[in-house]
Amino acid sequence: MKRIYPYGLISLMLFVLLATIACKNTKKKYTSPAGYDFLKPDKFTMPSSLLEISGVTFHDMNSDTVYTIQDEDGKLFRQKWDVKKQKNMKFAPKGDYEDLAIFHDRVFVLKSNGTLYSFPFSESIKEESDQVRERKRVVPKGEYESLYADPETSKLYILCKNCPVDKKKKQVTGYVFNYDASIDSMGSIDSFKVDLTKLKDINARLKTTASPSALTKNPDTKEWYILSSANKLLMVTDEHWKIRAAHKLNSSTFNQPEGMAFDKDLNLYISNEGDEITDGNIIKFKYAPSGKK
């Protein structure tokens, strides 16, 4: 006997089928680094003062307090996770501030032109600091958005977003500095390069271009995580900057990824700048060892 389905039931069945197909396609198109599931974000929406959030970090990797900057005001913001109310400390006049890091009880903030600001972490509870040090021309002329401070090696890393040295080359250049906390001194500049041609070995559909917007280091695997907001890409390299993996990012989750950090439990945080219709946010991805998701 021929079975006849009510119109409403047919519509429901069609919807479920299409949703299932869409879900499978999303999982296939967008991947996640080992230990993380980018399909399960824990989103913390920012207040209006952090619409243009451009960097996120923690003090000693403790996630009880989130430290952020935004790319217009020279202020260091602090707030509890999932609590919109923030406090801030002014360290510089208005400008284009792109990333920050905290180590050896000192805060570092990177300006897009490569200028580096630093001040004692103890100053962060004040309304304004008079102990800010400004370092100009620490890196060659270019555009920079990525900063990382490694407490294990006492090294500072600054990665190019758009630099003349990389023009017409399928590469991204970075610079490394030894930092002596006892005298607040930076020295022994060195450089490294990320070979973007390796992206084709991972996925033939990927373009061999990147404009890094954030840099951090996985404290467990020692791998480098490099965000490229413009082409919605997360690259993972080994300790020697050789690309091992690349993950396309879903724009519905990653509106404009500009900042990135790990906490002491290996949870991964990525901050997204907002726009006219979307608030800025920080997305947390809980670390789950293989087989324990």
Side-chain angles (χ1 to χ4, degrees):
M1 187 175 96
K2 187 176 181 180
R3 185 174 296 177
I4 300 176
Y5 293 99
Y7 177 76
L9 181 57
I10 293 175
S11 298
L12 178 60
M13 292 170 66
L14 181 60
F15 173 78
V16 172
L17 177 61
L18 292 175
T20 302
I21 293 173
C23 184
K24 288 182 178 179
N25 287 340
T26 297
K27 288 181 179 180
K28 188 176 181 179
K29 183 177 180 180
Y30 302 108
T31 56
S32 308
Y36 304 94
D37 187 350
F38 281 180
L39 295 177
K40 297 180 179 180
D42 177 8
K43 186 166 70 173
F44 175 19
T45 301
M46 294 289 97
S48 58
S49 55
L50 282 162
L51 172 69
E52 298 191 37
I53 182 172
S54 56
V56 58
T57 195
F58 305 105
H59 179 237
D60 291 337
M61 299 182 73
N62 293 316
S63 59
D64 54 342
T65 301
V66 184
Y67 295 89
T68 56
I69 56 169
Q70 57 111 306
D71 66 7
E72 288 188 347
D73 294 331
K75 295 179 179 180
L76 173 69
F77 296 82
R78 67 186 190 278
Q79 60 204 118
K80 299 296 182 182
W81 179 257
D82 240 0
V83 177
K84 278 195 173 185
K85 184 178 180 181
Q86 54 79 17
K87 295 183 179 180
N88 59 77
M89 187 277 286
K90 183 177 180 181
F91 64 85
K94 287 185 177 296
D96 190 5
Y97 304 99
E98 295 294 349
D99 209 353
L100 80 163
I102 303 173
F103 82 148
H104 298 318
D105 283 326
R106 196 161 186 88
V107 181
F108 292 84
V109 179
L110 177 68
K111 203 172 184 179
S112 63
N113 63 2
T115 296
L116 200 61
Y117 296 81
S118 67
F119 49 88
F121 175 70
S122 57
E123 294 287 288
S124 62
I125 61 173
K126 300 179 179 181
E127 291 187 0
E128 189 168 353
S129 176
D130 59 359
Q131 297 186 44
V132 179
R133 181 171 181 177
E134 181 182 13
R135 292 180 170 91
K136 295 182 178 180
R137 294 181 290 277
V138 296
V139 287
K141 186 177 181 180
E143 184 180 1
Y144 301 85
E145 291 192 357
S146 305
L147 171 70
Y148 178 75
D150 192 337
E152 293 184 3
T153 62
S154 293
K155 293 181 183 293
L156 281 165
Y157 296 80
I158 298 177
L159 189 60
C160 280
K161 177 184 180 182
N162 184 13
C163 292
V165 68
D166 297 325
K167 190 174 182 180
K168 296 183 179 180
K169 298 178 182 178
K170 300 180 186 304
Q171 66 180 33
V172 172
T173 300
Y175 300 94
V176 190
F177 303 86
N178 291 315
Y179 179 71
D180 188 339
S182 64
I183 56 175
D184 185 27
S185 174
M186 287 173 57
S188 303
I189 185 172
D190 197 4
S191 65
F192 61 90
K193 297 185 187 300
V194 180
D195 181 4
L196 299 177
T197 63
K198 298 300 180 182
L199 288 170
K200 287 292 185 182
D201 297 337
I202 296 167
N203 185 340
R205 294 183 178 181
L206 291 177
K207 295 181 179 180
T208 53
T209 59
S211 300
S213 55
L215 169 72
T216 193
K217 187 178 185 180
N218 185 313
D220 180 46
T221 65
K222 309 305 178 185
E223 294 172 316
W224 292 101
Y225 282 43
I226 303 172
L227 267 179
S228 181
S229 181
N231 52 338
K232 298 291 190 297
L233 187 69
L234 172 64
M235 296 179 287
V236 180
T237 82
D238 63 15
E239 294 181 76
H240 305 293
W241 305 100
K242 183 177 180 180
I243 300 175
R244 294 298 191 189
H247 306 279
K248 288 291 294 179
L249 303 177
N250 191 336
S251 58
S252 63
T253 301
F254 302 93
N255 182 57
Q256 190 173 332
E258 297 280 347
M260 182 168 50
F262 286 96
D263 68 16
K264 62 182 178 181
D265 295 317
L266 300 181
N267 300 314
L268 175 62
Y269 300 75
I270 295 178
S271 61
N272 288 281
E273 188 172 317
D275 52 31
E276 292 82 1
I277 58 175
T278 306
D279 293 324
N281 62 59
I282 302 173
I283 302 176
K284 174 183 176 181
F285 298 98
K286 190 174 181 180
Y287 173 65
S290 180
K292 295 185 179 181
K293 290 187 179 181

